[in-house]
Amino acid sequence: TTKPSDYLQAFSHFTYLYTNKKVLVCDLQGVYNAEAKPCPMFELTDPAIHYASKHRRMVFGRTDKGRKGHGLFFETHKCNPICKFLALSRRNKNWQKKWRDAGLYGL
C-alpha cells in the first residue's frame, strides 16, 4: 500500500538523481490535505537542501550538510512503490535517459 509519506521520500530520491547527485531536497515536513481540490496535496514547510560542492559549504543555509546530508538520507531511505514507479533504483542506469527523452531533464 502506498502512503502519502512515500511520495515525499520518492521526491527526495528523485531530486538527488535528477540533479546528477548534486542536490537533495529532504526533511520535508508539513500537512497532507486529502480534501484539497482538484486533488489531494501536501503543504510543505522548511525543507533542507543538501548541495554537494567541492569548494563551498552550506550553500543552502545552515541545514545544508552537503554530501554528508546525502549519506544520512540514504542510510534510512528505503525505496517504496513510488520510487519503483519512477524507476529510481540504483541498479537502473538508464533512468536519466528516459527522463531526458521525455523532455524533463533540464539541470
Side-chain angles (χ1 to χ4, degrees):
T1 325
T2 304
K3 304 177 299 268
S5 60
D6 289 343
Y7 290 91
L8 301 178
Q9 287 286 310
F11 175 75
S12 293
H13 192 166
F14 173 81
T15 61
Y16 177 72
L17 293 174
Y18 187 81
T19 62
N20 203 23
K21 302 179 181 179
K22 291 192 182 299
V23 176
L24 175 72
V25 179
C26 62
D27 194 22
L28 301 171
Q29 303 171 49
V31 177
Y32 177 68
N33 184 347
E35 305 300 318
K37 300 295 181 204
C39 61
M41 74 167 93
F42 288 96
E43 297 171 20
L44 302 173
T45 60
D46 200 27
I49 303 172
H50 301 303
Y51 179 72
S53 173
K54 292 179 183 175
H55 307 291
R56 295 168 48 195
R57 300 189 68 149
M58 295 191 287
V59 172
F60 287 98
R62 68 179 192 264
T63 59
D64 181 351
K65 304 295 184 211
R67 291 183 197 282
K68 181 179 178 186
H70 294 178
L72 291 170
F73 173 80
F74 283 108
E75 279 180 14
T76 60
H77 175 70
K78 289 191 178 9
C79 283
N80 60 54
I82 306 304
C83 294
K84 290 177 176 92
F85 177 79
L86 295 173
L88 300 179
S89 167
R90 292 176 190 249
R91 288 176 274 211
N92 182 1
K93 304 298 181 195
N94 296 320
W95 86 272
Q96 287 179 329
K97 181 180 180 337
K98 290 178 187 176
W99 283 97
R100 267 192 241 104
D101 291 347
L104 300 172
Y105 191 87
L107 295 178

